[in-house]
Amino acid sequence: MPDGTAPDDIRQRLRGMAPERGRVGYGFVAPALSAILVFFFIPLAGALLLSFTDFDIYALGDLAYLRFIGIDNYTRLARDPLFWKALGNTMMFVVSAGPLTVLPALGLALLLHARLTRFKGFFRTALFLPVVTTLVAVAVVWRYLYHPQYGPMAAVLSVFGVEPIDWLGDPHWALPAIILMAVWKNFGYSMVVFLAGLHAIPGQLYEAARIDGANAWQQFRHVTLPLLAPTTLFVAVLTLVGYLQLFAEPYVMTQGGPSQSTLSVVLLMYEEGFRWWNMGYAAAVAFLLFGIIVAGGLVLRRVQRRWVP
Amino acid sequence: MSTPQKMLATLGIHLLLVAAVCLTIFPLAWMAMASVMPAGEASAYPMSWVPSALSLEHYRALFSRLEVVRYIMNSALIAGAVTLISLVVNSMAGYAFAKLSFPGRERVFRGLVATLVVPGQVTMLPLFMLLKYLGLINSYWGVIVPGMASVFGIFLFRQYALSIPDSLLDAARIDGAGEWRIYRSIVLPLCKPILLTLAVFTFMGTWNDFMWPLVVLTDSRLHTLPVALANLSGEHVQDTELMMAGALLTVLPVIVLYALLQRYYIEGIMVGSIKG
């Protein structure tokens, strides 16, 4: 029964129920909202407070040892070479792994979307497979792939006459090795999002472009790319946010080494917080990361606005 | 395009895709190969690409000596519980945000969506202390409880529930059905596809999760499979074949689940991305 045609008495009965339905609405959201309040908002506020304290292993035992120290944690971070190292590594990881993930993902999505392509379902499923795998498990696998003597990587490179590289043991190669693995693990996700974006572009636009005499490249440049801009922004933000949280790969493969060449911001936070129990200091690290993520998202939105006015 | 040109393009596209698939599958294929090699074969020089003989000794060692069954059960229990609880909690909230009007609804929903930008690590330290205070550290509940409700789940369910016609719900109300009954016998059956999507997402996400179980579960008897695998890889760094068998057991359930329900999984990514 369409809304507009309800007889008056029924409409009145429905209206009579409205306030009650309001209460019912609260009842339906109450479990979720209370869980989110207790396990998200309270810890979020707690994290901010924590970052202004010297909470450490003594305070964990007895809160009497807890002191408010203002922004000391943040000023200490600014002078901590380890933090700058971790931030530098994380940035290096983001700016190299990011484009290396997104660009092939776009290329493969275009190939999968092409009219000439057969077995689309098979290709998509296979290319997406690394995304669903357990990060820890594939990190273990890649550690062996990178083995300098018996690893398949060394065997392949030796065919081209390349000397064995101690991928994970060499400070110059450890981060690139982790980048390569992250690209392998994640490109499928971006690819599927790009595919969704490509599907959403109306076919008539290409037809109109063809009638106007646009060739394949011109169609791509003037139809596909501009209309894909929102999708690209979404993929870029997702990738940026995800990659800034780099943790399990270095934790399992290198423990941040060799000589801190793969120490990431989150790994530093984990070490400070859950290994040395310097939770106040670790909370400051976490909040700085949060700030960087928000700033990164805003920058990307700016870039996109400029690109497609 | 002329026909030979078209054939060339088709050939090129498929060659590129096949190459990409080979590169993508190789690490997983090698994992499977190495897991059935006799001990030591995967770390011999020159390396062998295929096992010289099929050897199941590493799986046997994992199941008998290394108690992998316990870790599988832990992982399954935690992922199963989080999936069930969060499906109920998120679908209730998602439905209310879509279809039940109450004061402040839009503002609360926008507030929730805004929290999606906060990385999980920010809340991790106080959450740990909170759970310690509640006595949930080093228990299954410590891993389950923070996953009970998720903004992403609520968002996904809401988007889907928006398409339910109001007239259908009103008709049920006129017939005297209570709101709970409407949710149970009309909304949930109509939303089955998105429930499946959410179930796959949540189960896989929880199964694959590493950092939080690593922090919360200190007793090794409670460890999930990924945490146990990470520990194992520290102790058995030389036993390549054993580690590959362990890695395969860890990824196998999610790969099977993905193979069976991939339509719903991909759907979830697409729905989630359209909003952005």
Side-chain angles (χ1 to χ4, degrees), chain B residues 200-228:
Chain B
V200 184
F201 254 90
T202 314
F203 190 91
M204 286 189 183
T206 316
W207 181 280
N208 288 341
D209 193 17
F210 177 61
M211 194 170 177
W212 188 242
L214 175 74
V215 166
V216 172
L217 303 170
T218 41
D219 183 352
S220 69
R221 293 157 49 89
L222 299 179
H223 278 173
T224 60
L225 203 44
V227 176

PDB file of all heavy atoms in Angstrom, chain B residues 200-228:
ATOM      1  N   VAL B 200      30.594 -12.711   6.214  1.00  0.00           N
ATOM      2  CA  VAL B 200      31.872 -13.070   5.598  1.00  0.00           C
ATOM      3  C   VAL B 200      32.948 -12.066   6.000  1.00  0.00           C
ATOM      4  O   VAL B 200      34.060 -12.436   6.414  1.00  0.00           O
ATOM      5  CB  VAL B 200      31.753 -13.102   4.059  1.00  0.00           C
ATOM      6  CG1 VAL B 200      33.045 -13.569   3.445  1.00  0.00           C
ATOM      7  CG2 VAL B 200      30.623 -13.992   3.633  1.00  0.00           C
ATOM      8  N   PHE B 201      32.617 -10.791   5.898  1.00  0.00           N
ATOM      9  CA  PHE B 201      33.571  -9.731   6.255  1.00  0.00           C
ATOM     10  C   PHE B 201      34.058  -9.886   7.690  1.00  0.00           C
ATOM     11  O   PHE B 201      35.251  -9.856   7.973  1.00  0.00           O
ATOM     12  CB  PHE B 201      32.885  -8.369   6.136  1.00  0.00           C
ATOM     13  CG  PHE B 201      33.315  -7.608   4.943  1.00  0.00           C
ATOM     14  CD1 PHE B 201      32.636  -7.739   3.755  1.00  0.00           C
ATOM     15  CD2 PHE B 201      34.400  -6.765   5.005  1.00  0.00           C
ATOM     16  CE1 PHE B 201      33.030  -7.036   2.651  1.00  0.00           C
ATOM     17  CE2 PHE B 201      34.803  -6.065   3.897  1.00  0.00           C
ATOM     18  CZ  PHE B 201      34.114  -6.187   2.711  1.00  0.00           C
ATOM     19  N   THR B 202      33.086 -10.037   8.604  1.00  0.00           N
ATOM     20  CA  THR B 202      33.430 -10.066  10.021  1.00  0.00           C
ATOM     21  C   THR B 202      34.235 -11.314  10.359  1.00  0.00           C
ATOM     22  O   THR B 202      35.245 -11.246  11.059  1.00  0.00           O
ATOM     23  CB  THR B 202      32.151 -10.041  10.875  1.00  0.00           C
ATOM     24  OG1 THR B 202      31.292  -9.032  10.357  1.00  0.00           O
ATOM     25  CG2 THR B 202      32.466  -9.754  12.318  1.00  0.00           C
ATOM     26  N   PHE B 203      33.778 -12.460   9.840  1.00  0.00           N
ATOM     27  CA  PHE B 203      34.485 -13.694  10.167  1.00  0.00           C
ATOM     28  C   PHE B 203      35.918 -13.637   9.662  1.00  0.00           C
ATOM     29  O   PHE B 203      36.860 -13.908  10.397  1.00  0.00           O
ATOM     30  CB  PHE B 203      33.754 -14.901   9.566  1.00  0.00           C
ATOM     31  CG  PHE B 203      34.286 -16.209  10.066  1.00  0.00           C
ATOM     32  CD1 PHE B 203      33.742 -16.803  11.195  1.00  0.00           C
ATOM     33  CD2 PHE B 203      35.354 -16.835   9.445  1.00  0.00           C
ATOM     34  CE1 PHE B 203      34.248 -17.992  11.692  1.00  0.00           C
ATOM     35  CE2 PHE B 203      35.869 -18.028   9.922  1.00  0.00           C
ATOM     36  CZ  PHE B 203      35.305 -18.603  11.051  1.00  0.00           C
ATOM     37  N   MET B 204      36.089 -13.233   8.411  1.00  0.00           N
ATOM     38  CA  MET B 204      37.450 -13.180   7.847  1.00  0.00           C
ATOM     39  C   MET B 204      38.298 -12.159   8.580  1.00  0.00           C
ATOM     40  O   MET B 204      39.458 -12.406   8.904  1.00  0.00           O
ATOM     41  CB  MET B 204      37.386 -12.829   6.371  1.00  0.00           C
ATOM     42  CG  MET B 204      36.917 -13.958   5.511  1.00  0.00           C
ATOM     43  SD  MET B 204      37.153 -13.474   3.804  1.00  0.00           S
ATOM     44  CE  MET B 204      36.471 -14.881   2.980  1.00  0.00           C
ATOM     45  N   GLY B 205      37.717 -11.001   8.838  1.00  0.00           N
ATOM     46  CA  GLY B 205      38.472  -9.945   9.514  1.00  0.00           C
ATOM     47  C   GLY B 205      38.939 -10.399  10.885  1.00  0.00           C
ATOM     48  O   GLY B 205      40.087 -10.173  11.268  1.00  0.00           O
ATOM     49  N   THR B 206      38.061 -11.068  11.624  1.00  0.00           N
ATOM     50  CA  THR B 206      38.426 -11.513  12.962  1.00  0.00           C
ATOM     51  C   THR B 206      39.423 -12.658  12.899  1.00  0.00           C
ATOM     52  O   THR B 206      40.371 -12.722  13.682  1.00  0.00           O
ATOM     53  CB  THR B 206      37.169 -11.961  13.728  1.00  0.00           C
ATOM     54  OG1 THR B 206      36.134 -11.013  13.513  1.00  0.00           O
ATOM     55  CG2 THR B 206      37.442 -12.068  15.206  1.00  0.00           C
ATOM     56  N   TRP B 207      39.207 -13.558  11.965  1.00  0.00           N
ATOM     57  CA  TRP B 207      40.134 -14.692  11.803  1.00  0.00           C
ATOM     58  C   TRP B 207      41.539 -14.178  11.478  1.00  0.00           C
ATOM     59  O   TRP B 207      42.533 -14.665  12.000  1.00  0.00           O
ATOM     60  CB  TRP B 207      39.633 -15.611  10.684  1.00  0.00           C
ATOM     61  CG  TRP B 207      40.498 -16.812  10.460  1.00  0.00           C
ATOM     62  CD1 TRP B 207      41.674 -16.863   9.768  1.00  0.00           C
ATOM     63  CD2 TRP B 207      40.273 -18.130  10.964  1.00  0.00           C
ATOM     64  NE1 TRP B 207      42.188 -18.127   9.800  1.00  0.00           N
ATOM     65  CE2 TRP B 207      41.347 -18.927  10.526  1.00  0.00           C
ATOM     66  CE3 TRP B 207      39.264 -18.722  11.733  1.00  0.00           C
ATOM     67  CZ2 TRP B 207      41.448 -20.290  10.832  1.00  0.00           C
ATOM     68  CZ3 TRP B 207      39.371 -20.078  12.025  1.00  0.00           C
ATOM     69  CH2 TRP B 207      40.450 -20.840  11.583  1.00  0.00           C
ATOM     70  N   ASN B 208      41.617 -13.199  10.609  1.00  0.00           N
ATOM     71  CA  ASN B 208      42.919 -12.698  10.162  1.00  0.00           C
ATOM     72  C   ASN B 208      43.564 -11.715  11.129  1.00  0.00           C
ATOM     73  O   ASN B 208      44.737 -11.393  10.992  1.00  0.00           O
ATOM     74  CB  ASN B 208      42.778 -12.009   8.798  1.00  0.00           C
ATOM     75  CG  ASN B 208      42.541 -13.006   7.681  1.00  0.00           C
ATOM     76  OD1 ASN B 208      42.808 -14.191   7.829  1.00  0.00           O
ATOM     77  ND2 ASN B 208      42.035 -12.519   6.563  1.00  0.00           N
ATOM     78  N   ASP B 209      42.792 -11.220  12.096  1.00  0.00           N
ATOM     79  CA  ASP B 209      43.308 -10.168  12.963  1.00  0.00           C
ATOM     80  C   ASP B 209      44.518 -10.661  13.757  1.00  0.00           C
ATOM     81  O   ASP B 209      44.580 -11.811  14.177  1.00  0.00           O
ATOM     82  CB  ASP B 209      42.201  -9.721  13.931  1.00  0.00           C
ATOM     83  CG  ASP B 209      42.574  -8.429  14.625  1.00  0.00           C
ATOM     84  OD1 ASP B 209      43.499  -7.744  14.138  1.00  0.00           O
ATOM     85  OD2 ASP B 209      41.965  -8.100  15.654  1.00  0.00           O
ATOM     86  N   PHE B 210      45.443  -9.767  13.953  1.00  0.00           N
ATOM     87  CA  PHE B 210      46.680 -10.180  14.615  1.00  0.00           C
ATOM     88  C   PHE B 210      47.005  -9.341  15.833  1.00  0.00           C
ATOM     89  O   PHE B 210      47.254  -9.854  16.914  1.00  0.00           O
ATOM     90  CB  PHE B 210      47.833 -10.108  13.604  1.00  0.00           C
ATOM     91  CG  PHE B 210      49.167 -10.444  14.189  1.00  0.00           C
ATOM     92  CD1 PHE B 210      49.398 -11.696  14.738  1.00  0.00           C
ATOM     93  CD2 PHE B 210      50.197  -9.517  14.196  1.00  0.00           C
ATOM     94  CE1 PHE B 210      50.633 -12.011  15.283  1.00  0.00           C
ATOM     95  CE2 PHE B 210      51.425  -9.826  14.741  1.00  0.00           C
ATOM     96  CZ  PHE B 210      51.646 -11.077  15.286  1.00  0.00           C
ATOM     97  N   MET B 211      46.987  -8.020  15.680  1.00  0.00           N
ATOM     98  CA  MET B 211      47.544  -7.166  16.725  1.00  0.00           C
ATOM     99  C   MET B 211      46.754  -7.271  18.032  1.00  0.00           C
ATOM    100  O   MET B 211      47.347  -7.401  19.096  1.00  0.00           O
ATOM    101  CB  MET B 211      47.570  -5.721  16.237  1.00  0.00           C
ATOM    102  CG  MET B 211      48.441  -4.837  17.105  1.00  0.00           C
ATOM    103  SD  MET B 211      48.661  -3.229  16.324  1.00  0.00           S
ATOM    104  CE  MET B 211      49.624  -2.387  17.557  1.00  0.00           C
ATOM    105  N   TRP B 212      45.435  -7.218  17.954  1.00  0.00           N
ATOM    106  CA  TRP B 212      44.639  -7.212  19.181  1.00  0.00           C
ATOM    107  C   TRP B 212      44.723  -8.550  19.943  1.00  0.00           C
ATOM    108  O   TRP B 212      45.009  -8.555  21.144  1.00  0.00           O
ATOM    109  CB  TRP B 212      43.208  -6.777  18.884  1.00  0.00           C
ATOM    110  CG  TRP B 212      42.410  -6.567  20.126  1.00  0.00           C
ATOM    111  CD1 TRP B 212      41.301  -7.241  20.491  1.00  0.00           C
ATOM    112  CD2 TRP B 212      42.679  -5.633  21.186  1.00  0.00           C
ATOM    113  NE1 TRP B 212      40.860  -6.795  21.711  1.00  0.00           N
ATOM    114  CE2 TRP B 212      41.690  -5.815  22.163  1.00  0.00           C
ATOM    115  CE3 TRP B 212      43.678  -4.681  21.418  1.00  0.00           C
ATOM    116  CZ2 TRP B 212      41.636  -5.078  23.340  1.00  0.00           C
ATOM    117  CZ3 TRP B 212      43.636  -3.938  22.585  1.00  0.00           C
ATOM    118  CH2 TRP B 212      42.627  -4.142  23.528  1.00  0.00           C
ATOM    119  N   PRO B 213      44.518  -9.699  19.261  1.00  0.00           N
ATOM    120  CA  PRO B 213      44.703 -10.971  19.986  1.00  0.00           C
ATOM    121  C   PRO B 213      46.120 -11.108  20.551  1.00  0.00           C
ATOM    122  O   PRO B 213      46.301 -11.653  21.638  1.00  0.00           O
ATOM    123  CB  PRO B 213      44.447 -12.040  18.924  1.00  0.00           C
ATOM    124  CG  PRO B 213      43.741 -11.375  17.831  1.00  0.00           C
ATOM    125  CD  PRO B 213      44.058  -9.926  17.876  1.00  0.00           C
ATOM    126  N   LEU B 214      47.093 -10.592  19.821  1.00  0.00           N
ATOM    127  CA  LEU B 214      48.481 -10.655  20.295  1.00  0.00           C
ATOM    128  C   LEU B 214      48.624  -9.918  21.619  1.00  0.00           C
ATOM    129  O   LEU B 214      49.328 -10.362  22.522  1.00  0.00           O
ATOM    130  CB  LEU B 214      49.397 -10.029  19.237  1.00  0.00           C
ATOM    131  CG  LEU B 214      50.878  -9.882  19.587  1.00  0.00           C
ATOM    132  CD1 LEU B 214      51.560 -11.227  19.529  1.00  0.00           C
ATOM    133  CD2 LEU B 214      51.563  -8.908  18.642  1.00  0.00           C
ATOM    134  N   VAL B 215      47.923  -8.798  21.733  1.00  0.00           N
ATOM    135  CA  VAL B 215      48.034  -7.970  22.932  1.00  0.00           C
ATOM    136  C   VAL B 215      47.228  -8.574  24.095  1.00  0.00           C
ATOM    137  O   VAL B 215      47.679  -8.613  25.232  1.00  0.00           O
ATOM    138  CB  VAL B 215      47.540  -6.537  22.615  1.00  0.00           C
ATOM    139  CG1 VAL B 215      47.307  -5.756  23.886  1.00  0.00           C
ATOM    140  CG2 VAL B 215      48.533  -5.813  21.724  1.00  0.00           C
ATOM    141  N   VAL B 216      46.022  -9.059  23.776  1.00  0.00           N
ATOM    142  CA  VAL B 216      45.092  -9.461  24.837  1.00  0.00           C
ATOM    143  C   VAL B 216      45.381 -10.865  25.373  1.00  0.00           C
ATOM    144  O   VAL B 216      45.289 -11.110  26.573  1.00  0.00           O
ATOM    145  CB  VAL B 216      43.641  -9.391  24.317  1.00  0.00           C
ATOM    146  CG1 VAL B 216      42.680  -9.991  25.318  1.00  0.00           C
ATOM    147  CG2 VAL B 216      43.267  -7.946  24.047  1.00  0.00           C
ATOM    148  N   LEU B 217      45.714 -11.792  24.474  1.00  0.00           N
ATOM    149  CA  LEU B 217      45.842 -13.187  24.895  1.00  0.00           C
ATOM    150  C   LEU B 217      47.292 -13.486  25.264  1.00  0.00           C
ATOM    151  O   LEU B 217      48.114 -13.755  24.405  1.00  0.00           O
ATOM    152  CB  LEU B 217      45.379 -14.111  23.774  1.00  0.00           C
ATOM    153  CG  LEU B 217      43.955 -13.869  23.296  1.00  0.00           C
ATOM    154  CD1 LEU B 217      43.671 -14.666  22.036  1.00  0.00           C
ATOM    155  CD2 LEU B 217      42.947 -14.208  24.380  1.00  0.00           C
ATOM    156  N   THR B 218      47.599 -13.445  26.564  1.00  0.00           N
ATOM    157  CA  THR B 218      48.983 -13.691  26.974  1.00  0.00           C
ATOM    158  C   THR B 218      49.228 -15.181  27.186  1.00  0.00           C
ATOM    159  O   THR B 218      50.330 -15.661  26.953  1.00  0.00           O
ATOM    160  CB  THR B 218      49.291 -12.916  28.268  1.00  0.00           C
ATOM    161  OG1 THR B 218      48.176 -13.017  29.149  1.00  0.00           O
ATOM    162  CG2 THR B 218      49.553 -11.459  27.965  1.00  0.00           C
ATOM    163  N   ASP B 219      48.202 -15.916  27.609  1.00  0.00           N
ATOM    164  CA  ASP B 219      48.338 -17.352  27.831  1.00  0.00           C
ATOM    165  C   ASP B 219      48.365 -18.059  26.475  1.00  0.00           C
ATOM    166  O   ASP B 219      47.423 -17.939  25.687  1.00  0.00           O
ATOM    167  CB  ASP B 219      47.144 -17.830  28.665  1.00  0.00           C
ATOM    168  CG  ASP B 219      47.244 -19.313  28.994  1.00  0.00           C
ATOM    169  OD1 ASP B 219      48.141 -19.983  28.442  1.00  0.00           O
ATOM    170  OD2 ASP B 219      46.435 -19.786  29.803  1.00  0.00           O
ATOM    171  N   SER B 220      49.425 -18.821  26.209  1.00  0.00           N
ATOM    172  CA  SER B 220      49.563 -19.408  24.878  1.00  0.00           C
ATOM    173  C   SER B 220      48.454 -20.424  24.590  1.00  0.00           C
ATOM    174  O   SER B 220      48.183 -20.728  23.435  1.00  0.00           O
ATOM    175  CB  SER B 220      50.936 -20.061  24.725  1.00  0.00           C
ATOM    176  OG  SER B 220      51.002 -21.194  25.545  1.00  0.00           O
ATOM    177  N   ARG B 221      47.810 -20.934  25.629  1.00  0.00           N
ATOM    178  CA  ARG B 221      46.727 -21.892  25.381  1.00  0.00           C
ATOM    179  C   ARG B 221      45.522 -21.222  24.735  1.00  0.00           C
ATOM    180  O   ARG B 221      44.671 -21.878  24.143  1.00  0.00           O
ATOM    181  CB  ARG B 221      46.297 -22.565  26.685  1.00  0.00           C
ATOM    182  CG  ARG B 221      47.381 -23.472  27.275  1.00  0.00           C
ATOM    183  CD  ARG B 221      47.177 -23.658  28.769  1.00  0.00           C
ATOM    184  NE  ARG B 221      45.794 -24.031  29.073  1.00  0.00           N
ATOM    185  CZ  ARG B 221      45.357 -25.296  29.109  1.00  0.00           C
ATOM    186  NH1 ARG B 221      46.187 -26.282  28.869  1.00  0.00           N
ATOM    187  NH2 ARG B 221      44.110 -25.556  29.407  1.00  0.00           N
ATOM    188  N   LEU B 222      45.419 -19.914  24.871  1.00  0.00           N
ATOM    189  CA  LEU B 222      44.283 -19.183  24.306  1.00  0.00           C
ATOM    190  C   LEU B 222      44.599 -18.583  22.939  1.00  0.00           C
ATOM    191  O   LEU B 222      43.735 -17.996  22.302  1.00  0.00           O
ATOM    192  CB  LEU B 222      43.854 -18.050  25.257  1.00  0.00           C
ATOM    193  CG  LEU B 222      43.384 -18.450  26.645  1.00  0.00           C
ATOM    194  CD1 LEU B 222      43.024 -17.219  27.455  1.00  0.00           C
ATOM    195  CD2 LEU B 222      42.196 -19.385  26.566  1.00  0.00           C
ATOM    196  N   HIS B 223      45.844 -18.687  22.484  1.00  0.00           N
ATOM    197  CA  HIS B 223      46.260 -18.004  21.253  1.00  0.00           C
ATOM    198  C   HIS B 223      45.405 -18.379  20.051  1.00  0.00           C
ATOM    199  O   HIS B 223      44.976 -19.517  19.917  1.00  0.00           O
ATOM    200  CB  HIS B 223      47.710 -18.334  20.941  1.00  0.00           C
ATOM    201  CG  HIS B 223      48.670 -17.502  21.720  1.00  0.00           C
ATOM    202  ND1 HIS B 223      50.026 -17.711  21.701  1.00  0.00           N
ATOM    203  CD2 HIS B 223      48.471 -16.459  22.545  1.00  0.00           C
ATOM    204  CE1 HIS B 223      50.609 -16.835  22.483  1.00  0.00           C
ATOM    205  NE2 HIS B 223      49.691 -16.063  23.018  1.00  0.00           N
ATOM    206  N   THR B 224      45.196 -17.386  19.179  1.00  0.00           N
ATOM    207  CA  THR B 224      44.555 -17.677  17.903  1.00  0.00           C
ATOM    208  C   THR B 224      45.621 -18.200  16.935  1.00  0.00           C
ATOM    209  O   THR B 224      46.818 -18.090  17.193  1.00  0.00           O
ATOM    210  CB  THR B 224      43.914 -16.412  17.313  1.00  0.00           C
ATOM    211  OG1 THR B 224      44.941 -15.439  17.121  1.00  0.00           O
ATOM    212  CG2 THR B 224      42.842 -15.846  18.238  1.00  0.00           C
ATOM    213  N   LEU B 225      45.152 -18.721  15.825  1.00  0.00           N
ATOM    214  CA  LEU B 225      46.059 -19.344  14.863  1.00  0.00           C
ATOM    215  C   LEU B 225      47.146 -18.378  14.365  1.00  0.00           C
ATOM    216  O   LEU B 225      48.329 -18.738  14.375  1.00  0.00           O
ATOM    217  CB  LEU B 225      45.235 -19.919  13.714  1.00  0.00           C
ATOM    218  CG  LEU B 225      45.833 -21.040  12.879  1.00  0.00           C
ATOM    219  CD1 LEU B 225      46.498 -22.089  13.739  1.00  0.00           C
ATOM    220  CD2 LEU B 225      44.745 -21.682  12.031  1.00  0.00           C
ATOM    221  N   PRO B 226      46.794 -17.145  13.955  1.00  0.00           N
ATOM    222  CA  PRO B 226      47.860 -16.234  13.502  1.00  0.00           C
ATOM    223  C   PRO B 226      48.891 -15.924  14.590  1.00  0.00           C
ATOM    224  O   PRO B 226      50.091 -15.878  14.307  1.00  0.00           O
ATOM    225  CB  PRO B 226      47.101 -14.970  13.100  1.00  0.00           C
ATOM    226  CG  PRO B 226      45.743 -15.438  12.752  1.00  0.00           C
ATOM    227  CD  PRO B 226      45.457 -16.568  13.688  1.00  0.00           C
ATOM    228  N   VAL B 227      48.441 -15.737  15.821  1.00  0.00           N
ATOM    229  CA  VAL B 227      49.385 -15.440  16.905  1.00  0.00           C
ATOM    230  C   VAL B 227      50.279 -16.653  17.156  1.00  0.00           C
ATOM    231  O   VAL B 227      51.499 -16.529  17.312  1.00  0.00           O
ATOM    232  CB  VAL B 227      48.629 -15.040  18.197  1.00  0.00           C
ATOM    233  CG1 VAL B 227      49.605 -14.823  19.339  1.00  0.00           C
ATOM    234  CG2 VAL B 227      47.806 -13.792  17.961  1.00  0.00           C
ATOM    235  N   ALA B 228      49.665 -17.841  17.178  1.00  0.00           N
ATOM    236  CA  ALA B 228      50.439 -19.062  17.381  1.00  0.00           C
ATOM    237  C   ALA B 228      51.454 -19.240  16.257  1.00  0.00           C
ATOM    238  O   ALA B 228      52.603 -19.623  16.492  1.00  0.00           O
ATOM    239  CB  ALA B 228      49.501 -20.266  17.449  1.00  0.00           C
TER     240      ALA B 228
END
